[in-house]
Amino acid sequence: MRAGGGYRRVARRRTVAVVEPDVLGAPYERRTIDLGTDDEGPVVATLVRRRADRPTGRAVLYVHGFVDYFFQTHVADFFAERGWDFYALDLRKYGRSLLPHQTPNFCRDLSDYFPELDAAAEIIRAEEGHDTLLAMGHSTGGLIISLWANDRRDADLVDGIVLNSPFFDINAPWMVRRPLAAAVSRLGRRAPQRVLPFGLGTVYGESLHADHRGEWRYDLAWKPLAGFPVRAGWINAIRAGQRRLRAGLDIPVPVLLACSTRSFRGTKWHDSATGADAVLDVEHMVRWAPRLGRHVTLARFDGGLHDLTLSSPGVREKVFAEVGRWAEGFLRAGPTEPEPTTPPAPRRPADATAEG
């Protein structure tokens, strides 16, 4: 049974399949991580890889948000051009990892995702020999990797964390965030699969997808415009994770938290949605950022969307520049400029003479 005591946690034993081509095409590759079974049947996660042409021993592990999967190839390009091997994890029941028998994007506890994060870090660190690992999480992925990094702080798995609009609180008035959310959490423990009478809406999806008002193309079966149904058990898992974070974590590595300067609160389309976070309240992120650990940097971007890397070209250029400076400064990551595409012009004899 899905609801009640018959639920089985995912087995800790895991196996990793051979490398195979990814749906994005070359140079992207993927591995399927077998995570055993839960009450719905077999469970897998998928690790996507994009290698740098001139590797430096540095790597990024990217984790997507809710109703999401990895498709942001320009993010991978940014890091790969600077010598970082790029890895993206499609969590269980998301994107590439969603199997026909599964409830999309569903979990009962955010720690359910820790086995695939552990497996990804093991592959990146131990198997492929990277000495620097930057974890990068968007929205729900930002909350998940924050909790994971805190719980794995003694294992030295990551050297730094970038949070892109992390999901630190429910975007609703206080009565909904606290008393009503508490009631939903209790329901989630009794009837986790119960579908709730609210969802994400279509405004954010419209601001992204090229068939509507955005510039991006992605698989709408994996990232539907209006999202997947929100279930009581998922709300319970999110609320428990957020309560842990708000009580205070002790992440030992530097954290960069990036978000927009404003939120869009409408349920119907308005042009202002193209320059704001149309999913979460950015002031929640700012408020709870100090609870992550002792070394947190906050960066806010005017005109940024919920996924800052999908913002307009001028905004995302500033986002990438900030991430590059932060990584160079706090991770001692070395040069973050891309490799020149053309060789420098030869020096003139007069230049050499002038220098003596």
Side-chain angles (χ1 to χ4, degrees):
M1 295 175 60
R2 286 179 180 171
Y7 177 73
R8 300 194 310 276
R9 285 291 184 93
V10 173
R12 292 290 176 179
R13 176 184 55 80
R14 56 182 179 264
T15 57
V16 181
V18 297
V19 176
E20 59 184 355
D22 184 58
V23 294
L24 293 173
Y28 293 90
E29 304 167 307
R30 70 179 181 190
R31 295 192 197 192
T32 300
I33 303 172
D34 181 354
L35 294 162
T37 61
D38 69 2
D39 62 323
E40 294 186 320
V43 180
V44 300
T46 310
L47 186 64
V48 180
R49 180 178 68 187
R50 182 338 189 169
R51 289 188 171 183
D53 292 334
R54 48 184 187 99
T56 58
R58 303 193 296 267
V60 176
L61 175 59
Y62 174 89
V63 181
H64 56 77
F66 182 59
V67 189
D68 206 357
Y69 72 102
F70 171 67
F71 65 91
Q72 299 89 337
T73 56
H74 62 295
V75 179
D77 291 342
F78 170 81
F79 285 103
E81 289 168 359
R82 289 155 177 81
W84 298 71
D85 286 342
F86 185 90
Y87 298 80
L89 187 64
D90 274 16
L91 300 168
R92 67 191 66 193
K93 306 186 184 184
Y94 282 86
R96 299 163 177 81
S97 307
L98 179 61
L99 302 178
H101 60 272
Q102 293 177 328
T103 304
N105 301 184
F106 182 74
C107 76
R108 301 197 192 197
D109 193 299
L110 296 185
S111 66
D112 288 351
Y113 299 118
F114 290 3
E116 53 254 56
L117 287 164
D118 291 340
E122 182 178 352
I123 291 169
I124 296 168
R125 287 283 207 185
E127 183 177 326
E128 303 202 349
H130 295 88
D131 52 36
T132 300
L133 177 57
L134 171 65
M136 185 174 186
H138 168 56
S139 197
T140 305
L143 176 61
I144 292 167
I145 67 167
S146 296
L147 298 171
W148 172 69
N150 178 77
D151 287 6
R152 300 292 190 266
R153 59 184 174 271
D154 294 330
D156 296 325
L157 295 180
V158 299
D159 299 283
I161 296 173
V162 172
L163 302 177
N164 172 4
S165 306
F167 188 13
F168 285 173
D169 211 339
I170 296 170
N171 185 13
W174 182 87
M175 284 294 294
V176 176
R177 296 202 312 272
R178 299 296 181 261
L180 182 58
V184 171
S185 290
R186 290 192 293 272
L187 174 64
R189 292 190 285 272
R190 297 193 309 271
Q193 291 282 353
R194 179 75 61 84
V195 175
L196 301 176
F198 56 80
L200 299 180
T202 63
V203 171
Y204 180 54
E206 289 181 52
S207 74
L208 297 182
H209 203 276
D211 288 346
H212 296 271
R213 307 171 195 269
E215 62 174 295
W216 307 100
R217 294 204 174 274
Y218 48 82
D219 192 332
L220 290 172
W222 288 347
K223 186 177 173 63
L225 212 63
F228 293 109
V230 176
R231 298 174 186 270
W234 182 82
I235 288 290
N236 181 51
I238 292 295
R239 186 169 180 270
Q242 291 175 341
R243 289 176 64 188
R244 279 195 61 203
L245 179 136
R246 295 195 299 267
L249 303 181
D250 187 21
I251 298 174
V253 299
V255 178
L256 171 64
L257 191 154
C259 64
S260 183
T261 57
R262 59 186 180 274
S263 295
F264 173 83
R265 304 186 185 283
T267 58
K268 295 183 179 179
W269 178 260
H270 188 277
D271 287 346
S272 60
T274 61
D277 189 322
V279 178
L280 298 180
D281 186 331
V282 295
E283 298 308 323
H284 292 161
M285 305 171 201
V286 174
R287 178 181 179 183
W288 300 115
R291 303 297 178 92
L292 290 163
R294 304 174 189 176
H295 195 157
V296 180
T297 303
L298 176 65
R300 304 185 70 173
F301 298 90
D302 188 34
L305 297 182
H306 177 54
D307 185 342
L308 292 169
T309 69
L310 301 181
S311 303
S312 63
V315 175
R316 62 179 183 259
E317 181 180 350
K318 293 177 182 177
V319 171
F320 287 134
E322 184 68 27
V323 170
R325 285 193 298 268
W326 178 87
E328 185 172 358
F330 292 110
L331 302 190
R332 299 180 181 177
T336 56
E337 291 300 316
E339 186 176 17
T341 56
T342 57
R347 295 168 61 190
R348 294 176 298 174
D351 295 336
T353 304
E355 293 178 4

